[in-house]
Amino acid sequence: MVQSRLTAAKQLRGLFTSGWDSAPRESSAGASASVRYGVVRSISGENVTALLDGSAEAVTLKDATASTRLKAGDRVKIVKQGQSWVIDLAGGISRALDTAVNEASARMDAHDKTMAQQQKEIKAAQDELAGMDGKISDAVDAAISQLETPDGGNHIYAGETEPAPPKDGFQAGDLWYQTNASGQIAAVKVWNGTVWNGYDMLANSILVAGSVGSTLIADGAVTTSKITAKAVTADQIAANTITGAEIRADSVDVNEIASGDIYCKRLAATDGAGYTEMTGSKLEMLGSDSKSLFAIWVEDGVCYINANLAEKISIGTNSGSVLNVSNGGFIFSSMMPGFRVNGVSAVESFAIAPGSATESFSANVPYSPHKTSYAVVYYRCTYANTVGSVKFPITEGGSANVVLKDFVDVNDYMIVGCIENIAVVLGKSPNKTFTVTRGKPFRFAMQSSGTSINGNPGTQFEITQVTLCGE
């Protein structure tokens, strides 16, 4: 068995008291050569002065712990260790244990008395509660069984099981409030003289607590200003108006929704194919995989249209005109720069800015029209401060030789002109490289007296833009 600290202390105390105080004490005359007994006279630091039994003289011994475990009057045992005499520890420990054990014993006795009193009081309270349980139940049953209906001739019973009949038996019209396991009323039954039947209450109206008669329950209708319920289950709710701060449902099936505002996170298609979101100034249609199909928004005064998964955006009008925008971000124009291709006036076009206005250049054009059919070179003659353009047919992998020319009237007798030949090459997909190789430009004057060739006009011919066109 595991001993408590108190039990162990008591046993230790008995050991010391029986082994020290009750044993015959040796006198100095009868002591062995290695053991002496005496009484502590005084303690000063490590010095302990003790008067030995049978001796009139006191002796002084060294003990480093004397001040913490001994006091004047303690009886000590002095033993010889080697050539020195020292104080045995038993004397101080016995005194300390006596004090500790006595204090612990007193506390344990008080604790035992308190615990016994508390257990006695708890037992009395438990007995009292156990007796009250049955009394309360019997009193409630008796009170309920004696309740009378408003006419004073019938009784009302309540309980989960059928009530036991009184000595005079049930009377027709007696009511039984049948409760469930939770004590709630599950049914109301009436005694018809033979059996308990379900009770149907008939009334022209029922006055609801807290109202003044504006709430009526009638056949086929409930008339009230408010119905509060955790759930209203119905196959159909017919109303001219349903007003509420919030209406939540898994689905609302209507032919038309008339509303000043419709607030929702997103509008989803019934077949689950996608949904529409409106975020700020951005309207976006997304597929069932949440990828953007089409988006339109306004930012910094610019209207943006984006169709990531489409190669073209086709915009038609009731006149039959169609504007097609492809996924390369192409520029579209109608009758610009003023000609048709195969009778079609609206065509794709892709503008190229030359790397040099006065020298040969190349440009990579991966987003040119799918079916390039012609190109337009725009140029400027700085000598005469005039502009011009030339259109020529070209396809992927094709080339063309183009003449740039300009004329200006100087006066009634002379016309000055500039002319230059350039070579144009368009590479094949996927990276179409458009190359312009410039030739030697000439400037000349035509007079009434004859033609004069004045040679190279230098940088007076500048190519400002090249546009690839097609379908």
Side-chain angles (χ1 to χ4, degrees), residues 240-298:
N240 293 328
T241 303
I242 297 178
T243 303
E246 184 174 348
I247 297 176
R248 297 191 179 191
D250 290 336
S251 65
V252 177
D253 188 1
V254 294
N255 294 325
E256 181 179 348
I257 297 178
S259 173
D261 298 290
I262 296 178
Y263 297 93
C264 62
K265 292 184 179 180
R266 71 184 190 188
L267 295 175
T270 56
D271 59 0
Y275 56 94
T276 302
E277 286 186 344
M278 182 71 183
T279 306
S281 62
K282 185 177 183 180
L283 176 63
E284 188 171 14
M285 292 190 301
L286 302 98
S288 57
D289 56 358
S290 298
K291 290 183 179 179
S292 178
L293 301 176
F294 176 80
I296 181 170
W297 70 97
V298 177

Side-chain angles (χ1 to χ4, degrees), residues 18 40 184 256 312 315 326 332 387 401 415 435 446 450 460:
S18 62
V40 176
Q184 300 169 331
E256 181 179 348
K312 288 187 178 182
I315 303 174
S326 64
F332 290 79
V387 295
N401 293 316
I415 297 176
T435 303
M446 293 184 294
Q460 293 175 353

Side-chain angles (χ1 to χ4, degrees), residues 33 157-158 193 225 255 269 377 381 383:
Y157 304 89
S225 60
N255 294 325
V377 176
C381 181
Y383 172 77

Side-chain angles (χ1 to χ4, degrees), residues 188-210:
V188 178
K189 296 184 178 183
V190 60
W191 182 256
N192 67 357
T194 305
V195 295
W196 293 100
N197 287 328
Y199 180 65
D200 296 325
M201 183 174 63
L202 301 177
N204 291 329
S205 65
I206 297 176
L207 182 63
V208 179

Side-chain angles (χ1 to χ4, degrees), residues 244-447:
E246 184 174 348
I247 297 176
R248 297 191 179 191
D250 290 336
S251 65
V252 177
D253 188 1
V254 294
N255 294 325
E256 181 179 348
I257 297 178
S259 173
D261 298 290
I262 296 178
Y263 297 93
C264 62
K265 292 184 179 180
R266 71 184 190 188
L267 295 175
T270 56
D271 59 0
Y275 56 94
T276 302
E277 286 186 344
M278 182 71 183
T279 306
S281 62
K282 185 177 183 180
L283 176 63
E284 188 171 14
M285 292 190 301
L286 302 98
S288 57
D289 56 358
S290 298
K291 290 183 179 179
S292 178
L293 301 176
F294 176 80
I296 181 170
W297 70 97
V298 177
E299 184 177 339
D300 297 331
V302 179
C303 179
Y304 294 90
I305 299 176
N306 188 15
N308 289 329
L309 302 181
E311 293 186 356
K312 288 187 178 182
I313 298 176
S314 181
I315 303 174
T317 66
N318 58 6
S319 64
S321 299
V322 177
L323 177 63
N324 290 321
V325 182
S326 64
N327 63 355
F330 304 136
I331 302 171
F332 290 79
S333 60
S334 178
M335 297 302 294
M336 286 293 293
F339 40 77
R340 295 171 180 265
V341 177
N342 298 327
V344 179
S345 61
V347 295
E348 290 184 352
S349 62
F350 183 81
I352 302 170
S356 172
T358 58
E359 299 177 358
S360 302
F361 64 89
S362 295
N364 188 27
V365 287
Y367 298 119
S368 62
H370 294 288
K371 295 180 181 180
T372 304
S373 55
Y374 63 90
V376 181
V377 176
Y378 298 89
Y379 59 91
R380 177 174 59 240
C381 181
T382 59
Y383 172 77
N385 195 26
T386 58
V387 295
S389 63
V390 58
K391 180 203 85 169
F392 53 93
I394 193 169
T395 59
E396 289 188 25
S399 61
N401 293 316
V402 181
V403 177
L404 309 182
K405 54 187 176 181
D406 189 78
F407 297 94
V408 63
D409 292 335
V410 176
N411 50 46
D412 294 339
Y413 305 101
M414 183 173 65
I415 297 176
V416 176
C418 294
I419 186 169
E420 179 181 358
N421 294 322
I422 64 173
V424 180
V425 178
L426 178 60
K428 292 185 177 182
S429 299
N431 293 322
K432 303 174 185 177
T433 301
F434 184 81
T435 303
V436 174
T437 304
R438 304 190 66 166
K440 183 178 180 182
F442 287 93
R443 186 178 66 202
F444 58 89
M446 293 184 294
Q447 308 175 61

Side-chain angles (χ1 to χ4, degrees), residues 84-259:
S84 302
W85 291 86
V86 298
I87 299 175
D88 191 289
L89 298 178
I93 292 177
S94 176
R95 179 179 56 79
L97 285 176
D98 285 347
T99 301
V101 169
N102 290 335
E103 292 177 353
S105 296
R107 288 196 298 271
M108 285 299 296
D109 291 342
H111 178 267
D112 290 344
K113 291 179 180 179
T114 301
M115 286 296 295
Q117 180 62 29
Q118 290 178 348
Q119 289 175 353
K120 182 178 180 181
E121 293 174 356
I122 290 173
K123 181 64 169 60
Q126 289 174 339
D127 293 343
E128 184 177 359
L129 286 174
M132 290 179 63
D133 235 4
K135 294 177 181 178
I136 292 174
S137 179
D138 294 342
V140 170
D141 291 342
I144 292 176
S145 65
Q146 295 303 314
L147 287 176
E148 292 186 349
T149 56
D151 61 11
N154 294 103
H155 292 81
I156 298 175
Y157 304 89
E160 189 173 356
T161 59
E162 183 176 331
K167 63 179 181 178
D168 297 333
F170 298 120
Q171 298 183 41
D174 286 353
L175 296 179
W176 169 28
Y177 292 166
Q178 186 177 13
T179 59
N180 57 22
S182 300
Q184 300 169 331
I185 297 176
V188 178
K189 296 184 178 183
V190 60
W191 182 256
N192 67 357
T194 305
V195 295
W196 293 100
N197 287 328
Y199 180 65
D200 296 325
M201 183 174 63
L202 301 177
N204 291 329
S205 65
I206 297 176
L207 182 63
V208 179
S211 75
V212 292
S214 61
T215 297
L216 298 176
I217 301 176
D219 184 18
V222 175
T223 303
T224 182
S225 60
K226 182 190 295 186
I227 295 178
T228 303
K230 292 184 177 179
V232 176
T233 303
D235 294 333
Q236 179 178 351
I237 297 178
N240 293 328
T241 303
I242 297 178
T243 303
E246 184 174 348
I247 297 176
R248 297 191 179 191
D250 290 336
S251 65
V252 177
D253 188 1
V254 294
N255 294 325
E256 181 179 348
I257 297 178
S259 173

